[in-house]
Amino acid sequence: VNGLQARTFGVWTLLASVIRCLCAIDIRNRTLYYITLFTFFLALIHFLSEVFIYHTAALTIGVMAPLMVASFSILGMLIGLQYLEVEELSQNKKKN
């Protein structure tokens, strides 16, 4: 890894964390929710491709930790998405 790659990965990680924090603040914002979910899919695909396609990373704890975080976060957000839709439907009924 050279310096440019390290800085690019660092900026990408910072951007993803800012998006995730903004989603935590405004969890009912559907667009932000989907963007946050996409960041976890992107991280999962990135780490899986590095291990299984490009073979540039070994399946060690340093790689398994982000894989587990991304996987559990995707699962949790998909479950949470159902509650977000139910809440939106109930608010629409109250308005009518």
Side-chain angles (χ1 to χ4, degrees), residues 4-5 8-10 12-13 20 22 26 35 42 45-46 48 50 52 61 68 70 72 90:
L4 175 62
Q5 290 170 325
T8 302
F9 189 73
W12 175 75
T13 303
R20 293 167 187 169
L22 290 174
D26 187 11
I35 291 170
L42 197 60
I45 290 167
H46 168 72
L48 286 175
E50 292 298 329
F52 295 111
I61 191 67
M68 289 173 46
F72 290 134
S90 66

Side-chain angles (χ1 to χ4, degrees), residues 83-94:
Y83 292 104
L84 193 63
E85 290 172 355
V86 167
E87 183 178 315
E88 185 176 289
L89 288 174
S90 66
Q91 286 179 356
N92 286 338
K93 286 181 181 179
K94 287 180 183 179

Side-chain angles (χ1 to χ4, degrees), residues 37 40-42 44 69-79:
L37 183 59
F40 285 115
F41 274 116
L42 197 60
L44 183 66
V69 168
S71 299
F72 290 134
S73 298
I74 289 169
L75 182 64
M77 288 192 76
L78 289 175
I79 292 169

Side-chain angles (χ1 to χ4, degrees), residues 4-77:
L4 175 62
Q5 290 170 325
R7 288 187 298 275
T8 302
F9 189 73
V11 169
W12 175 75
T13 303
L14 179 63
L15 177 62
S17 65
V18 167
I19 291 170
R20 293 167 187 169
C21 287
L22 290 174
C23 183
I25 292 169
D26 187 11
I27 194 80
R28 291 180 179 87
N29 185 333
R30 292 180 65 82
T31 304
L32 192 54
Y33 197 90
Y34 283 121
I35 291 170
T36 304
L37 183 59
F38 180 72
T39 65
F40 285 115
F41 274 116
L42 197 60
L44 183 66
I45 290 167
H46 168 72
F47 283 105
L48 286 175
S49 68
E50 292 298 329
V51 171
F52 295 111
I53 295 173
Y54 302 114
H55 304 288
T56 55
L59 203 57
T60 62
I61 191 67
V63 173
M64 288 185 63
L67 286 173
M68 289 173 46
V69 168
S71 299
F72 290 134
S73 298
I74 289 169
L75 182 64
M77 288 192 76

